[in-house]
Amino acid sequence: MNKPGQQVIGRLRQMILSGELASGQRLAEIPTSEQLGVSRTPVRIAFRTLEQEGLLTKLSGRGYIVRQVTQLEISGSIEVRGVLEGLAARQAAENTLTTEQTEELIALLKQGDALFENGNIDEHDLTQYHDINQRFHQIIIEASQNPAIAEALSRNEHLPFASVNALAFDRNNLKQEYRRFNFAHMQHHAVFDAISKGQGSRAEAIMREHANATLGYAKVFSQMEESGEKMQVINTKNSPTNLTQ
């Protein structure tokens, strides 16, 4: 899929996740494309993709409606993904990576390093990270040599935010998103290290935790940022300059 298409999907996911697009709200191609400033084609593709992910329901006439998605539904589907991908990582470690798999994983890690080295990201970078992330996970699943894992993941992907491709990001808070996705990338380094050393249990534990990184930690980093802002206000109030006023 082209980059504008990925960006539209990511923005609509985030709007649903944040509640900006409320449960039961009707969506149509033309007003949505006008709101996002894009053509109707990427919006049409996004609607179909989000329907497959369980976030939208197609109406009998034209358009879609936003499904009601509970936090319990989201956390449950992510937990299942973590278990499946954790198993894949453990079996990949037990099987030993091929030379080709090792080289490609290292190349993907280097691409991610370059993406985050400047200390900030933009929407284009997040689209690139999507591709890196997708391929990284795919290689580990292939390295497990267990077709049942891929089959089970395929079924689970129809649940909200369960797919590794279902990245949502807040384009209005890129500082927070940098922290979140850079942390997820560091977990890629850790799981590769465990797999390459044949440490199956460690690889499984990291991969299970990693399932929460790109979605579940959004609130964590948001709370950290809010706490930091509050501390900054307190420190400013107690600064020598203010104490003399």
Side-chain angles (χ1 to χ4, degrees):
M1 186 181 299
N2 59 27
K3 287 180 171 57
Q6 286 290 1
Q7 290 173 357
V8 170
I9 294 171
R11 289 173 65 180
L12 289 174
R13 278 198 202 102
Q14 178 62 28
M15 292 168 75
I16 293 172
L17 183 64
S18 67
E20 184 177 349
L21 293 177
S23 167
Q25 183 172 339
R26 295 186 63 165
L27 300 178
E29 286 181 16
I30 294 178
T32 302
S33 63
E34 291 175 350
Q35 180 183 0
L36 299 181
V38 297
S39 68
R40 293 174 61 181
T41 299
V43 171
R44 185 181 307 121
I45 295 172
F47 283 172
R48 291 172 183 170
T49 300
L50 297 177
E51 180 190 14
Q52 293 174 350
E53 294 178 6
L55 295 177
L56 298 179
T57 300
K58 187 171 178 58
L59 298 172
S60 55
R62 291 185 176 182
Y64 292 79
I65 188 170
V66 179
R67 275 194 63 228
Q68 181 177 7
V69 180
T70 66
Q71 186 59 45
L72 184 63
E73 190 176 3
I74 294 173
S75 61
S77 60
I78 291 176
E79 185 175 2
V80 170
R81 184 184 121 199
V83 170
L84 291 170
E85 292 197 325
L87 175 60
R90 177 168 65 81
Q91 293 186 338
E94 293 170 349
N95 293 334
T96 304
L97 296 170
T98 66
T99 301
E100 291 76 13
Q101 289 169 340
T102 298
E103 290 176 349
E104 187 171 1
L105 286 172
I106 291 174
L108 291 169
L109 290 172
K110 288 181 178 179
Q111 290 176 36
D113 291 343
L115 202 63
F116 293 106
E117 68 180 355
N118 292 328
N120 57 73
I121 52 173
D122 57 25
E123 198 167 354
H124 172 75
D125 294 329
L126 289 171
T127 301
Q128 187 176 345
Y129 176 80
H130 170 277
D131 297 336
I132 294 171
N133 185 62
Q134 180 185 40
R135 183 55 186 156
F136 186 89
H137 284 250
Q138 184 180 2
I139 293 172
I140 292 176
I141 293 166
E142 292 171 355
S144 74
Q145 301 179 28
N146 187 341
I149 293 177
E151 178 65 26
L153 282 169
S154 177
R155 294 176 183 176
N156 192 55
E157 285 179 355
H158 296 291
L159 299 174
F161 297 99
S163 171
V164 68
N165 297 321
L167 296 182
F169 54 88
D170 186 355
R171 64 201 300 264
N172 297 316
N173 195 347
L174 291 176
K175 180 179 179 181
Q176 169 191 295
E177 298 303 68
Y178 171 83
R179 292 177 179 174
R180 189 159 64 100
F181 287 104
N182 184 50
F183 180 78
H185 178 62
M186 291 301 99
Q187 288 182 315
H188 281 181
H189 273 282
V191 76
F192 170 74
D193 181 71
I195 291 174
S196 62
K197 292 179 179 177
Q199 299 170 342
S201 297
R202 175 174 169 240
E204 181 174 15
I206 296 170
M207 204 64 169
R208 290 184 67 163
E209 179 65 17
H210 179 62
N212 293 303
T214 53
L215 184 61
Y217 286 1
K219 184 180 295 184
V220 173
F221 285 115
S222 177
Q223 291 171 343
M224 288 172 58
E225 188 166 304
E226 289 174 4
S227 297
E229 289 173 353
K230 290 177 182 177
M231 286 301 296
Q232 187 174 12
V233 170
I234 292 172
N235 290 335
T236 301
K237 288 180 177 178
N238 294 329
S239 67
T241 302
N242 285 315
L243 288 173
T244 59
Q245 293 177 350

